[in-house]
Amino acid sequence: MSKLSHYGGPILEIDNLSISFFTRLREIPAVMDFSVAVQPGEAVGLVGESGCGKSTVALGVMQDLGVNGKIVDGSIKFKGQDLGKLSPEVLRDIRGNEIAMIYQEPMASLNPAMKIANQLMEVPMIHEGISKEEAYKRALEVVNDVKLPDPERILKSFPHQLSGGQQQRIVIAMALMSKPSLLILDEPTTALDVTVEAAVVDLVKDLGKKYGTSMLFISHNLGLVLETCDRICVMYSGEAVETGSIKDVFNQMQHPYTQALFRSIPLPGADKNARPLIAIPGNFPLPHERPEGCNFGPRCTYFEPGLCDTQVIEMAEIVKTDRHATRCLKYKEIDWMALGAKAEKTDNVEPGDVILKIDNLKKYYEVAANALFGSSGSKKVVKANETLSFEAREGETLAIVGESGCGKSTLAKVLMGLETATDGAVLLDNKSIGDTPIESRNTQTVADIQMVFQNPFDTLNPSMTVGRQIIRALEIFRFGKSDKDRSERMLELLDLVKLPRAFAERMPRQLSGGQKQRVGIARAFAGGARIVVADEPVSALDVSVQAAVTDLLMEIQRNEKTTLLFISHDLSIVRYLSDRVMVMYLGHVVELGTTDQVFSPPYHPYTEALLSAVPIADTSVEKEHIVLEGDIPSAMDPPSGCPFQTRCRWKKDVPGDLCEKEIPPQRDIAIGHQIKCHLSETKLSKMTPVIKLAAE
């Protein structure tokens, strides 16, 4: 029985909350005049860019702001009790019994030296004083609830023996052990694969219904919020700027920032040439540099001097709606349905000649069978890449998609020369480079194939200026005859990635995530790269910054005729920017074709499941609901026959045990469209679209 049935009002009521952090220099206001209410059984999504105050609100609810953080105004009430006025003992009891929080990184919440059972059991044993037997019974029940296979084996495991998705489910199970009234989820699926994310989101929704738990769901992903929440609160620079039901905010938005967010994400229909994304101009203000009046004013299309910058702007209720409010003075005058200033259309670039050819590439790793325990023994082979074959042309974008462990990054390492191929050929301009490690490659080959990495924070030297880091790359590529030549080229590269030339003197710590990624791109193009391997280049960035960086990559590619190998698990961005898509599963290429071919039926069953898993921030989209059962098998012990057969919902439509016995042949189902599947032509032709607009 849920604890909330004894209480009639809102479970959580945040009223005019202001939170500041105090440094030796100044008070930094992190959250200002913030109000939101979560009703019994309701899920409220909190969205906005990094630094807008979402997590600070959550820490305020948990009363865990550290020594520098302080609630300076307003109140946070939980079931009518002001949390700021409770004693530490009462607070501890509420945090253990009534409010649970799930963090972004599951391993940060798990003790690596304790078995899962003990970690789950200690929650109710400490907070409710129940017996060990009773606690074990409850642990078994919640592990079942979070749909983990073989619960008894899971309870005997240590955290490192579980996959990322399983670890996150255990953290959810831990949060549910005390059957809380309020669950706070802080970006709980960011570190997970899209298919695992879909399963976890499903799980959270089901458990919310089963336990009657109210939820505060913090995310920067509008699609996820649409799929999980009843209501939404959009934050910008410490303030709530729009609140309302999902339907009202998604279909009849009433704040320029909400509109700008939607324009910067690749919804179905966006096209890199015909309908490009519109990035939000300018940068997010630092907390101590906020403008007068409206915080969003300097970046707003509808800004009016003398009105928007002269007064404190309060939230305004919109009449005849379900608690829909906006922090905008001009919301009644704006035509919200207008598409806005169109981004410039560009011509489609026709790909040139084939410059990269991969033929039957294999990459195997040999490891000791009991490598985990450090002793010698029989060897096992990890088949990271299994007979990969594809071509890439000058000026084209080839997207490589699949879950973690499918071999995408191993392929990138072989292309870069960080690993050498076990078998098969990697040909650059018909010259074999697959078995040449990077230290043996000539300068031109190294300059020709460059990489943009996932995390811009880890790829820059913190003790070197931005300009010096780019010049260093130019020195390695032997550009120019003098330091003057290289300095001039460095400034041109900053122009290329749309960074001010003054940034040459800045240190990486003075740059935002998006700016750092631009420096990474400038460095990749320093040697006139012909092929750029972009490994999840925008996944660590905010949604509004993603649009600007994606747009920049596209523009440079058009001008430089670069071939872009875009590794990603975000199929929305893949659909938007790629010319062709290659889908990988457990080291195999299971589907390869143009973007239109891969995103329309017939699909490989794995592609179908990937498409179903993508959260789309559009209420007019209908998706077929397919959740993959089980985890991706280990490359050390792959299943027999088809690599996907252990998770495939179409397996029953293939006669006999063909799927379990034979690896399917690669076959063409249309010109340029290959698929690796045993399904008959008839079955494939009967597949229906996974994603369709409600009007279709």
Side-chain angles (χ1 to χ4, degrees), residues 481-529:
K481 292 188 174 124
S482 64
D483 288 347
K484 188 166 179 277
D485 287 350
R486 286 185 280 275
S487 289
E488 191 48 46
R489 177 63 181 152
M490 177 268 292
L491 294 172
E492 286 170 8
L493 284 162
L494 287 177
D495 295 343
L496 181 75
V497 296
K498 296 185 169 57
L499 283 176
R501 289 187 166 200
F503 273 43
E505 300 304 316
R506 288 201 182 181
M507 303 300 280
R509 66 174 182 274
Q510 296 171 290
L511 272 55
S512 69
Q515 290 165 342
K516 284 180 185 167
Q517 195 60 297
R518 284 165 188 255
V519 176
I521 293 167
R523 209 167 47 176
F525 282 93

Side-chain angles (χ1 to χ4, degrees), residues 659-690:
C659 294
E660 289 169 26
K661 284 194 167 164
E662 285 181 35
I663 293 177
Q666 191 91 38
R667 56 190 167 126
D668 291 329
I669 55 170
I671 295 168
H673 190 190
Q674 302 173 348
I675 207 161
K676 206 175 204 177
C677 183
H678 284 305
L679 278 173
S680 66
E681 299 286 338
T682 316
K683 292 286 180 194
L684 285 169
S685 66
K686 286 183 179 165
M687 278 190 173
T688 53
V690 173

Side-chain angles (χ1 to χ4, degrees), residues 88-355:
E89 291 76 28
V90 176
L91 261 179
R92 196 178 307 123
D93 191 47
I94 286 176
R95 281 194 294 238
N97 273 320
E98 303 256 19
I99 305 175
M101 188 155 172
I102 296 168
Y103 296 91
Q104 183 168 343
E105 182 47 65
M107 271 312 275
S109 309
L110 295 171
N111 183 334
M114 269 174 87
K115 287 188 176 172
I116 299 297
N118 296 339
Q119 301 197 47
L120 291 173
M121 286 158 60
E122 71 178 4
V123 179
M125 282 167 72
I126 290 169
H127 290 287
E128 296 173 44
I130 67 174
S131 70
K132 204 169 178 179
E133 292 72 24
E134 188 61 35
Y136 183 81
K137 209 165 119 192
R138 197 184 293 181
L140 206 55
E141 183 191 328
V142 293
V143 171
N144 256 315
D145 279 346
V146 297
K147 299 189 171 67
L148 279 168
D150 196 355
E152 293 190 340
R153 180 187 63 78
I154 295 275
L155 289 175
K156 288 177 189 156
S157 303
F158 286 98
H160 70 264
Q161 293 170 306
L162 308 181
S163 69
Q166 289 174 333
Q167 287 169 1
Q168 192 61 290
R169 284 165 187 249
I170 289 298
V171 172
I172 293 169
M174 200 184 288
L176 293 170
M177 279 299 283
S178 54
K179 300 191 169 58
S181 306
L182 177 68
L183 195 54
I184 301 172
L185 302 106
D186 190 358
E187 302 269 14
T189 60
T190 304
L192 304 178
D193 272 313
V194 66
T195 48
V196 181
E197 175 181 83
V200 168
V201 163
D202 252 34
L203 175 72
V204 167
K205 282 196 296 195
D206 291 349
L207 294 171
K209 289 192 189 93
K210 176 176 176 179
Y211 289 102
T213 312
S214 305
M215 288 190 273
L216 188 62
F217 193 98
I218 297 170
S219 181
H220 64 268
N221 186 326
L222 287 160
L224 266 186
V225 169
L226 168 64
E227 293 192 356
T228 46
C229 299
D230 308 299
R231 298 180 60 75
I232 183 172
C233 172
V234 181
M235 282 188 83
Y236 181 80
S237 191
E239 296 178 322
V241 293
E242 184 165 6
T243 58
S245 69
I246 290 288
K247 198 171 155 205
D248 281 347
V249 175
F250 276 62
N251 297 346
Q252 293 168 305
M253 57 198 72
Q254 299 285 311
H255 194 279
Y257 177 59
T258 314
Q259 186 186 53
L261 273 182
F262 275 94
R263 284 179 180 167
S264 66
I265 57 178
L267 296 172
D271 179 285
K272 66 179 175 182
N273 298 310
R275 250 189 70 193
L277 302 179
I278 303 169
I280 304 175
N283 287 314
F284 200 76
L286 292 169
H288 56 282
E289 293 174 357
R290 290 188 177 110
E292 291 295 314
C294 175
N295 281 344
F296 189 58
R299 304 173 76 188
C300 180
T301 317
Y302 312 105
F303 178 74
E304 191 179 316
L307 174 70
C308 301
D309 52 2
T310 56
Q311 57 190 292
V312 173
I313 298 164
E314 307 285 346
M315 288 293 271
E317 287 281 339
I318 294 153
V319 292
K320 295 181 182 171
T321 59
D322 176 15
R323 296 168 284 152
H324 190 182
T326 178
R327 197 181 292 272
C328 178
L329 296 172
K330 300 184 69 179
Y331 76 94
K332 288 180 182 170
E333 305 160 31
I334 294 168
D335 177 5
W336 296 102
M337 302 320 286
L339 286 170
K342 285 260 182 84
E344 279 182 43
K345 288 187 181 182
T346 52
D347 294 329
N348 199 4
V349 177
E350 282 301 317
D353 296 332
V354 171
I355 62 168

Side-chain angles (χ1 to χ4, degrees), residues 568-633:
S568 183
H569 68 267
D570 183 343
L571 288 177
S572 300
I573 284 187
V574 164
R575 184 177 202 162
Y576 170 67
L577 62 78
S578 63
D579 302 307
R580 288 191 304 137
V581 180
M582 182 166 99
V583 183
M584 288 184 70
Y585 185 80
L586 216 58
H588 293 258
V589 174
V590 294
E591 185 162 4
L592 176 63
T594 65
T595 305
D596 286 343
Q597 285 171 336
V598 172
F599 277 79
S600 318
Y603 317 100
H604 184 280
Y606 178 55
T607 310
E608 181 190 52
L610 280 182
L611 289 171
S612 168
V614 179
I616 299 171
D618 188 338
T619 54
S620 68
V621 165
E622 288 177 1
K623 280 196 309 182
E624 188 177 353
H625 192 61
I626 304 159
V627 174
L628 282 182
E629 295 298 324
D631 287 309
I632 190 165

